[in-house]
Amino acid sequence: MPETDHDTLTITRLGLHGDGIAPGPVYAARTLPGEEIRGEITGDRIAAPKIVTPSPNRVKPPCPLYARCGGCALQHAADPFVAGWKRQVVIDALSAHGLSAPMRPIRTSPPRTRRRATLSGRRLKKGTLLGFHTRASDTIVDIPGCEVLAPTITEALPSLAEFLPVLGSRKGELALAVTVSEAGLDVDIRGGKPLDPALRLSLTALTQKLDLARLSLDGEVFLTLRPPAQRFGPASVTPPPGAFLQATAPGEAALLAAVAEAVGPARRIADLFAGCGTFALPLATRAEVHAVEGDADMLAALDAGWRKTPGLSKVTTEARDLFRRPLLPDDLARFGAVVIDPPRAGAEAQTAALASAQPDRIAAVSCNPVTFARDAKMLCDAGYALRWVQVVDQFRWSPHVELAAAFTAPHIQP
Ligand SMILES: C[S@@+](CC[C@H](N)C(=O)[O-])C[C@H]1O[C@@H](n2cnc3c(N)ncnc32)[C@H](O)[C@@H]1O
């Protein structure tokens, strides 16, 4: 047994960013509950903890770059531990509001399934660097055998790096948002040099040489060789550059299955924060859907996808800021079910309107258990029952926690 002296700290829990926390609090990244650690404390942090007594949940990180790369935070923890921790984050967030719910088994996306990522790139004196930032620094580490990204992205890294000397200056960094589409890679590069005719020619030639589906610059389409389509149920949608898309196909399938179950037999559904139609279009195989979203370009893509897909029920779209102008009880009265999938801030104003409109069923999707629990409390205070929660882990080895949940109005039997 290692000696426990005053320099040895015991990690008691993980914080929401995945750091281990010892009483104090003292934070130490990449440590686990129960571990005894030592190291120099600066402020409230041990930057380089020495693990004196490892946790039985500690495993050898599958990625050899884990020690340096900041892309993952929890590769040193066994899968069942991470699953239990993410589940507990949701249980704790609910219980802070006096709520509880039946928890379904977590659905974790397999390694190498992330189909979109924003990479950082830099042109060096000699060569280039393209990858993720190292932990808490502006250094970039290249990621040849990344365990998270889909192989289509990893295999394209050397090709994508060819953009760096063309578009990048030696001073600045480029951000490359890379998405796998049915037609090849959809790439949006931010932070590049201003365009001139020579640069335009080089970028066109490179896009053709690399056979990208589409190249965009700072969110504006530069060249489309093939529409970078995404499939949502039977519909094919070409999202605008940089549009929201669920991070993995298995994660999206798990969320969609949960949403489809939670909306029950409703014949008219409102899909709030609808994006490009991830839920709206598959649900239109069985119900009419009104899709509401703040970004008009995403809705235009959703609408175009619906129009060219035969056999779907009617889908209408409405561009609307749901924080400032939530759908009101009168607007909501015609829907038997509502899907709500807000950004991290949650949907306080819209949830207040739902609580008073009382649609039969609400399918909630959330990427932030804290705001989810706050909004769930509003629904439960208005008589809704929280039937179940399904944690979906599309951000394997990261501290992100996502979930889907089913609520039913007081007059609805399970
Ligand atoms: C988590 S994403 C979900 C998108 C979609 N449900 C999906 O699964 O692909 C949240 C969406 O909310 C939209 N959004 C953000 N703030 C908004 C606001 N104030 N009003 C309406 N939509 C907003 C974003 O554009 C984004 O599409």
Side-chain angles (χ1 to χ4, degrees):
M1 280 283 283
E3 219 178 67
T4 304
D5 59 29
H6 64 282
D7 291 322
T8 304
L9 295 174
T10 302
I11 300 297
T12 50
R13 61 194 172 93
L14 293 191
L16 289 180
H17 300 294
D19 286 352
I21 305 179
V26 176
Y27 296 86
R30 302 183 173 198
T31 58
L32 293 171
E35 290 190 324
E36 291 182 318
I37 64 162
R38 278 191 195 174
E40 192 182 321
I41 303 175
T42 311
D44 61 359
R45 180 163 289 276
I46 299 181
K50 182 176 179 313
I51 313 293
V52 180
T53 313
S55 158
N57 293 313
R58 181 168 281 278
V59 294
K60 183 170 181 278
C63 175
L65 295 170
Y66 181 59
R68 285 199 299 142
C69 179
C72 290
L74 288 166
Q75 277 200 12
H76 59 287
D79 280 359
F81 171 84
V82 176
W85 177 69
K86 293 196 174 190
R87 178 178 190 271
Q88 196 60 41
V89 166
V90 177
I91 292 172
D92 291 348
L94 286 170
S95 106
H97 291 278
L99 302 177
S100 63
M103 300 290 296
R104 294 187 163 182
I106 192 168
R107 299 280 298 273
T108 303
S109 297
R112 300 180 181 234
T113 54
R114 186 86 60 82
R115 62 182 172 188
R116 65 194 300 250
T118 300
L119 307 168
S120 300
R122 189 183 279 277
R123 179 181 161 188
L124 306 173
K125 220 174 197 170
K126 277 192 191 157
T128 56
L129 264 181
L130 178 64
F132 291 129
H133 280 267
T134 54
R135 285 194 284 149
S137 89
D138 59 3
T139 312
I140 299 168
V141 57
D142 57 5
I143 44 170
C146 180
E147 288 292 325
V148 165
L149 298 180
T152 318
I153 298 181
T154 326
E155 284 157 16
L157 290 171
S159 307
L160 292 170
E162 293 188 41
F163 280 107
L164 301 175
V166 176
L167 202 51
S169 65
R170 285 262 299 286
K171 288 186 209 121
E173 215 177 273
L174 297 178
L176 284 78
V178 183
T179 305
V180 179
S181 84
E182 288 188 332
L185 290 182
D186 183 14
V187 179
D188 180 30
I189 306 182
R190 289 176 189 258
K193 290 194 291 207
L195 284 179
D196 60 27
L199 183 52
R200 282 179 181 279
L201 281 177
S202 310
L203 289 173
T204 302
L206 194 48
T207 305
Q208 286 166 340
K209 180 184 145 196
L210 303 185
D211 198 29
L212 301 182
R214 179 171 70 179
L215 175 68
S216 309
L217 301 174
D218 297 307
E220 296 288 331
V221 174
F222 176 78
L223 180 62
T224 303
L225 298 184
R226 296 172 299 281
Q230 302 292 339
R231 185 151 291 281
F232 299 137
S236 173
V237 171
T238 302
F244 180 89
L245 184 70
Q246 298 294 344
T248 70
E252 178 178 304
L255 291 173
L256 176 59
V259 164
E261 180 184 337
V263 296
R267 302 291 310 138
R268 278 200 296 264
I269 298 172
D271 180 10
L272 309 183
F273 304 92
C276 296
T278 305
F279 304 128
L281 291 164
L283 290 174
T285 55
R286 55 190 246 204
E288 287 185 12
V289 182
H290 184 55
V292 187
E293 152 71 44
D295 185 314
D297 292 341
M298 288 199 223
L299 284 181
L302 188 165
D303 183 64
W306 172 66
R307 284 176 193 284
K308 59 179 196 246
T309 310
L312 292 180
S313 296
K314 192 167 166 196
V315 174
T316 49
T317 57
E318 180 180 356
R320 182 163 175 148
D321 182 334
L322 292 168
F323 289 171
R324 289 162 188 264
R325 288 199 318 120
L327 253 55
L328 298 175
D330 276 357
D331 308 317
L332 292 163
R334 64 194 169 101
F335 302 111
V338 173
V339 179
I340 184 162
D341 180 12
R344 291 189 65 74
E348 206 164 12
Q350 185 58 74
T351 306
L354 286 171
S356 93
Q358 301 260 313
D360 292 351
R361 292 181 166 80
I362 297 173
V365 176
S366 169
C367 55
N368 183 347
V370 173
T371 55
F372 165 73
R374 178 200 67 198
D375 295 348
K377 168 76 171 156
M378 240 187 293
L379 294 175
C380 293
D381 282 351
Y384 275 88
L386 175 50
R387 296 287 172 197
W388 46 259
V389 173
Q390 165 82 70
V391 179
V392 174
D393 189 7
Q394 334 189 46
F395 293 95
R396 175 179 259 278
W397 295 314
S398 91
H400 291 292
V401 181
E402 300 196 329
L403 62 90
F407 294 87
T408 52
H411 55 277
I412 297 294
Q413 294 308 308

